[in-house]
Amino acid sequence: MPIVDDDEIRRLLAEGSIGALSIDTNVFDAKGLQLKSPALMAIAELRRKPFPFVLSGTVAREVLAHLKKDGEDALREAKRSIGKALNAFEIASPTRVDLLALISGGKDASDAAHERFDSFVKRSACVVLDDASLVDTATLFDSYFDGIPPFGVGNKKSEFPDALALNALEKYSDQQGFAILVASKDKDWKAFCQVSEHLYLVEDVERALALVNNAAELLNKVVMNWVAVGGLGHDEVLGHITHDAERISFSADGNSTSGSMEAVAWDGQVTNMHWPSSSEIDLIQFGKAGDEDALEVVLSLPVTLFMRVPVELSFSAFDSIDRETISMGGREEEIDEEIEARATVTLQVFDLGGEDEDVVFVDSEIDVSDVEIYLSNVDVFRPEDYWDGTE
């Protein structure tokens, strides 16, 4: 289908023409493979509508592979870091093996990946398609040789997994008698959806969830006004997101113009924050707040964080004559970083539309947990430290 605007998607959802949601592998990657991130948890709530959540079997296999690699990389890094720490403090017990077993729960990366993904599938009542049984080989090869999306001109052999995934979604949609809303930022997925008969594409999963939930206009208006600049809750929410941002873990690395350099980054401070307009804020989930006489609302906000991060620099040089490393001193620099993040804010709304209407902040978090700062070509001395030949 041609890419259509949000109003048209809302209309199609309302009349039942779009009857399921699917997402691409890049959505999982964008969330750092955190299957309990707010957006992916919100997908699980679709089963209450009910509104099916469908995954291509190819996407499922890709996500599993990424989860496994992520686990292998994490264990490899943990093994190195734990060994270094045990040696530095001369700790004999617990051993590195003991600590790694504690971290991994005794599972290898493959077992952990399957366990996490299976739990996600069960939690979201996800329908995982058998792509190979839905798509015949001739369809794929005809698309490849005819340059039909996701294939195109040039060497596009790498698009066979995408072609299998998208054609499986297309076939399943045709069998079920409804279109599918697809969330992906992949340009080849977009090209396929533009000529598809059954797939409608939006780039962000948060936007897709907002469209599916189709929140009541009054609720949407109340919470958007509350968090907007000048709104009653703006300063409170801003303060909580600022607190979340200042818990980001920073690391630093770089090159010294002479000798060696070690950089240690400390906690950053938010100096400014770009706040989104109401049209950029997505209401991704709402429903009754447990036993409370209130509605619980989850908002997703794209924010730009401007942070100042202290970085401690230590310089050294190797003395080839004495065969030893000599300290050249150090200093602290303040580095300004601009970070694009997405904040998730949970609110409760009491007595919506009534005399005692009230909005209460519940929780917030951001999707950035660690940032590496790269410093290139750092001079040992600041320019003002060099002697210019005058007293």
Side-chain angles (χ1 to χ4, degrees), residues 41 54 66 68 73 93 108 137 143 149 160-161 171-173 181 190 195 202 207 212 246 262 265 321 324 326 358 362:
M41 288 292 286
V54 180
H66 291 191
K68 180 183 176 183
D73 291 345
S93 181
D108 63 22
T137 305
S143 297
F160 269 100
K171 184 67 173 181
Y172 176 80
S173 177
L181 187 62
K190 181 177 182 179
V195 298
V202 293
R207 178 64 68 189
V212 171
E246 291 180 348
E262 183 177 344
I321 297 176
E324 63 180 358
I326 301 173
D358 190 22
V362 177

Side-chain angles (χ1 to χ4, degrees), residues 9 12-13 16-23 43 46-47 49-55 125-127 129 169 172-174 176-183 198-202 208-209 211-212:
I9 290 178
L12 293 167
L13 285 163
S17 296
I18 298 178
L21 172 70
S22 188
I23 60 179
I43 288 175
L46 295 179
R47 70 187 189 278
K49 290 193 172 296
F51 193 86
F53 172 51
V54 180
L55 272 186
C126 178
V127 177
L129 304 182
L169 289 171
Y172 176 80
S173 177
D174 182 55
Q176 297 299 312
F178 53 69
I180 297 177
L181 187 62
V182 177
H198 303 286
L199 307 183
Y200 289 86
L201 183 131
V202 293
L209 288 166
L211 292 168
V212 171

Side-chain angles (χ1 to χ4, degrees), residues 241-243 245-246 268-273 304-308:
I241 294 176
T242 297
H243 175 72
E246 291 180 348
Q269 180 180 12
V270 175
T271 58
N272 199 1
M273 188 185 306
T304 303
L305 307 169
F306 298 90
M307 301 193 67
R308 183 157 295 161

Side-chain angles (χ1 to χ4, degrees), residues 10 25 38 49 55 90 97 107 140 146 208 218 240 249 286 293 314 343 345 352 357 374 390:
R10 289 190 188 96
T25 310
K49 290 193 172 296
L55 272 186
E90 297 184 347
V97 172
K107 295 173 286 197
L140 297 180
D146 293 340
L218 177 59
H240 283 285
S249 175
F286 74 97
D293 186 19
S314 302
V345 177
L352 178 66
E357 181 180 272
Y374 182 72
T390 61

Side-chain angles (χ1 to χ4, degrees), residues 29-90:
D29 291 339
K31 301 305 174 188
L33 296 172
Q34 296 303 307
L35 302 186
K36 292 185 178 181
S37 66
L40 296 180
M41 288 292 286
I43 288 175
E45 294 301 312
L46 295 179
R47 70 187 189 278
R48 302 182 188 277
K49 290 193 172 296
F51 193 86
F53 172 51
V54 180
L55 272 186
S56 150
T58 303
V59 168
R61 292 182 67 177
E62 288 178 340
V63 174
L64 267 171
H66 291 191
L67 287 169
K68 180 183 176 183
K69 183 179 184 303
D70 187 57
E72 290 170 342
D73 291 345
L75 283 175
R76 188 180 303 109
E77 181 63 24
K79 185 177 182 180
R80 186 189 68 82
S81 299
I82 290 171
K84 187 175 180 180
L86 292 176
N87 288 334
F89 291 93
E90 297 184 347

Side-chain angles (χ1 to χ4, degrees), residues 254-331:
N255 297 316
S256 173
T257 55
S258 60
S260 300
M261 180 187 76
E262 183 177 344
V264 177
W266 302 102
D267 292 343
Q269 180 180 12
V270 175
T271 58
N272 199 1
M273 188 185 306
H274 172 72
W275 197 257
S277 65
S278 294
S279 64
E280 297 174 297
I281 300 175
D282 293 319
L283 196 162
I284 64 174
Q285 182 182 337
F286 74 97
K288 185 173 173 58
D291 297 331
E292 296 284 347
D293 186 19
L295 291 172
E296 187 162 276
V297 180
V298 181
L299 302 179
S300 180
L301 302 78
V303 293
T304 303
L305 307 169
F306 298 90
M307 301 193 67
R308 183 157 295 161
V309 185
V311 178
E312 186 176 313
L313 305 175
S314 302
F315 301 94
S316 60
F318 182 72
D319 186 336
S320 59
I321 297 176
D322 292 334
R323 309 293 295 176
E324 63 180 358
T325 300
I326 301 173
S327 172
M328 299 175 65
R331 66 173 185 271

